[in-house]
Amino acid sequence: MDFNLSEEQKDVQKAASDFAQGEFDPELALELDKKGAFPESIWKKACQLGFIGLHYPETFGGQGLGLFENLLVVESFCRVESGIGSALSMVNLGAEILLNYGSQDQKNTFLPPLSKGEKRMCTAFAESEDERDLSSILTMAEKKGEEYVIRGKKPFVLMAPLADVFVILCKDSSDGVSTFLVEKQRETVQIHPIEKMGLKMVPYGDLHLKEVCVPLHQRIGKGNDGMIHADQYFQVNGLRSAAQALGTAEGAFDRALQHAKQREQFGKKLSQFQAIRHKLADMAVSLEGARWLTYKAALDYDRRTNHTESLFLAQLEAGRCLIHVVDEALQIFGGYGYISETAIEHYFRDAWAIGVELG
């Protein structure tokens, strides 16, 4: 398989990297991380320039590119700044379910506002601490006349406090499992934010659904195919997480290499010590393996060729690489690695949160 990027893909990668280097101000990143605030203004600019949803068809506000190109953007963003990059890459999770299974009306209604930055979407599937455990769905969608009434709870929902639209997995009246598009409603959709250690720019929350009325046309698909939709989501989210992990690991490596070239001990640059050189070489090898497995999985997905197996390999290796590289980077920084101003400190916290997403 040819892993060389096409000229178009190189252009996408360079544009994303240039945007991130120009907009992801280090001091702003530290401030947002301390406050636990989402990078609103940067997200708006990213939407205006077409980085959000560039794999949507042009008729829905995208650029008609593949998921692979989208992941190149995720990687480039996270390489420049793990917190801001992760926040931008985690907006609109669940849109691929609409792209693959939604009706034309649903796509026309929801996808253009997502790509333009007018709305945000997230998914609410599991009801346990493990988001992949869908064996005990209790949230119920009861059909009443021309609408469904949804009631239940969804814990640990990624991006819940910022979302305008939720893709929710429910049991329906026929004891099947279906997905529904639920728009935020002041009285019946309640969100309780959750504090956490890493990825502080990416909010989580517990979602409480109290007699939420949803029109019949906002059920996705024909009904009782919610598990198919969930599988689709986990595949795409797994690829996104692998690219996020890869970019974050690359960013940690870049910072460790720069620090090693600048920092002196015993009259020598750190990069001149054999032990540090070995660490950096080992980190580079790990990154190379994770990069090509992630790229292969993304290409396989776009080509619909054996993508499940390659996805698992990419997730495993990207997760291993992330923790290994960020930990080694922290060691190279030494005591400075524990100071928030060096950025490697929140890379370390973010890495473990991303690792949880990878499973």
Side-chain angles (χ1 to χ4, degrees):
M1 178 179 287
D2 183 7
F3 287 113
N4 293 317
L5 300 182
S6 68
E7 290 304 315
E8 183 179 39
Q9 290 165 343
K10 290 177 183 177
D11 289 342
V12 169
Q13 189 177 55
K14 183 178 185 305
S17 180
D18 289 347
F19 172 78
Q21 290 174 15
E23 298 292 338
F24 296 7
D25 178 70
E27 292 186 6
L28 174 62
L30 289 173
E31 181 183 349
L32 292 172
D33 182 74
K34 289 177 181 178
K35 292 180 177 179
F38 182 78
E40 287 281 352
S41 60
I42 299 175
W43 171 66
K44 288 286 187 182
K45 290 181 182 178
C47 291
Q48 291 168 4
L49 293 173
F51 290 115
I52 306 301
L54 86 170
H55 59 301
Y56 301 172
E58 293 181 14
T59 52
F60 304 127
Q63 299 183 40
L65 299 177
L67 186 65
F68 182 36
E69 286 76 18
N70 184 62
L71 297 183
L72 290 175
V73 172
V74 172
E75 178 194 359
S76 298
F77 281 3
C78 290
R79 182 169 191 165
V80 174
E81 216 299 308
S82 67
I84 297 176
S86 293
L88 298 186
S89 71
M90 289 176 162
V91 176
N92 299 344
L93 297 180
E96 282 75 16
I97 294 175
L98 270 185
L99 284 170
N100 286 277
Y101 302 105
S103 68
Q104 192 65 33
D105 285 344
Q106 289 171 344
K107 294 176 184 178
N108 290 336
T109 299
F110 292 101
L111 291 177
L114 296 181
S115 64
K116 293 176 183 177
E118 296 169 357
K119 289 184 181 295
R120 289 178 283 227
M121 175 180 283
C122 75
T123 58
F125 288 170
E127 296 175 18
S128 67
E129 294 183 5
D130 181 2
E131 70 164 5
R132 292 169 178 80
D133 179 12
L134 304 181
S135 61
S136 57
I137 299 295
L138 297 177
T139 300
M140 176 64 68
E142 182 181 359
K143 187 176 180 181
K144 290 187 176 181
E146 296 300 313
E147 61 186 13
Y148 287 93
V149 178
I150 299 177
R151 58 183 73 88
K153 297 179 181 179
K154 298 286 186 179
F156 304 107
V157 178
L158 175 62
M159 296 297 290
L162 293 179
D164 303 290
V165 185
F166 303 87
V167 180
I168 297 181
L169 194 68
C170 308
K171 281 187 175 180
D172 58 32
S173 304
S174 61
D175 289 329
V177 178
S178 301
T179 48
F180 296 84
L181 290 161
V182 176
E183 297 178 81
K184 184 178 290 184
Q185 301 172 22
R186 183 173 299 177
E187 299 297 329
T188 58
V189 178
Q190 297 182 2
I191 300 161
H192 303 280
I194 298 172
E195 290 292 329
K196 59 192 188 310
M197 181 178 73
L199 291 181
K200 295 182 75 65
M201 299 181 210
V202 183
Y204 282 67
D206 292 336
L207 186 63
H208 292 221
L209 305 160
K210 300 182 177 182
E211 305 290 323
V212 183
C213 296
V214 177
L216 295 181
H217 63 262
Q218 288 187 199
R219 184 185 69 184
I220 302 175
K222 299 178 180 178
N224 200 22
D225 44 13
M227 292 304 182
I228 297 173
H229 299 168
D231 181 65
Q232 167 73 22
Y233 165 75
F234 288 133
Q235 289 184 38
V236 174
N237 192 47
L239 285 168
R240 192 267 311 157
S241 296
Q244 183 184 359
L246 173 61
T248 300
E250 289 170 335
F253 176 80
D254 293 343
R255 283 161 173 77
L257 179 61
Q258 182 181 27
H259 181 76
K261 289 179 177 179
Q262 295 175 345
R263 175 69 174 164
E264 288 190 8
Q265 283 190 340
F266 308 109
K268 296 170 63 176
K269 302 289 187 183
L270 285 182
S271 58
Q272 294 177 283
F273 289 93
Q274 189 176 47
I276 300 298
R277 295 168 74 90
H278 284 175
K279 280 183 180 292
L280 291 167
D282 186 50
M283 293 157 73
V285 170
S286 182
L287 283 168
E288 194 70 9
R291 181 181 301 112
W292 293 122
L293 281 173
T294 300
Y295 284 10
K296 180 181 185 301
L299 286 169
D300 285 347
Y301 179 88
D302 281 340
R303 296 169 180 171
R304 298 297 191 268
T305 56
N306 194 33
H307 58 276
T308 301
E309 179 180 339
S310 57
L311 167 62
F312 291 153
L313 292 174
Q315 286 182 279
L316 177 62
E317 189 57 30
R320 286 176 174 174
C321 171
L322 173 64
I323 300 302
H324 168 64
V325 169
V326 172
D327 183 66
E328 290 286 56
L330 189 69
Q331 300 305 316
I332 290 171
F333 270 86
Y336 288 98
Y338 291 89
I339 301 173
S340 61
E341 282 71 15
T342 63
I344 204 66
E345 180 266 345
H346 81 254
Y347 266 68
F348 187 81
R349 288 186 283 106
D350 291 348
W352 284 96
I354 296 168
V356 171
E357 286 292 313
L358 280 166

